[in-house]
Amino acid sequence: MTTDAIVMLREGHKEIRRLIRAYRVERNPAVVEQFLRALTVYAYIEREGMYPRVSVLAPETELTIVEFREEHHIAEVLAAELHDMRPEEIAFDAKARLLMDIVERHMDTEDHMWFPHVRAVVGRKELQEIGAWMTKLAERAPRWPHRPTTQQIWDTVAA
C-alpha cells in the first residue's frame, strides 16, 4: 500500500463516492451511517495531516486551504446533525443528500484543481511522509461526527 498522501486521499474519495452512489440508489439509512464514519475519518486525516503540511510546503495554496477548512466545518456540522437524527425524521433524507452534495463538490475541487497543483509543487518524498503521518492519524481519528465546540470553531478561523 502506498503512503503517497494524494493517492491515499483519492482512495478515500473513491470510497466516499461509492457510498454516495449507493445511498442515491437505495436510500438506505445504513449507508448514511457508513458514509458518516468514512467521512469523519477522512476529514480528520485531511484536516490534521494534509492541510497543515501543504500550507507550509506550498504557501500559495493557503487561501484554498482556508476555503477547504470552511467546507469541512459546514460538513462537520451537517454530519453531526445527521448522526443525531433518526432515519424516519422528515429532514433526514434532505440533510443526507445536501451533505453528500457538499462533500462531492469538495472532492471534485480537490481532484481536479488542488491535487494536481500540490503534486506539481510538493515533492514525492514529502507526499510520502505526509501519507505516513495520515496513516497514523487514521488510527486515532474520531469514528463518528461530533458538533464542533466554539473553541474548535475559533481555532479553525485562527489557523
Side-chain angles (χ1 to χ4, degrees), residues 85-102:
M85 293 177 80
R86 294 182 319 279
E88 60 273 9
E89 288 184 52
I90 194 164
F92 182 87
D93 180 63
K95 193 172 298 269
R97 287 184 292 114
L98 177 62
L99 174 59
M100 290 174 182
D101 289 347
I102 290 168

Side-chain angles (χ1 to χ4, degrees), residues 13-14 16-22 24 35 39 71 75 96-112:
H13 285 186
K14 285 180 188 174
I16 290 168
R17 287 181 197 283
R18 183 189 68 75
L19 292 166
I20 290 170
R21 281 191 308 276
R24 286 179 177 154
F35 167 76
L39 180 63
E71 290 173 358
R97 287 184 292 114
L98 177 62
L99 174 59
M100 290 174 182
D101 289 347
I102 290 168
V103 169
E104 206 166 38
R105 191 192 68 151
H106 175 84
M107 292 186 303
D108 287 345
T109 301
E110 287 182 339
D111 285 340
H112 301 296

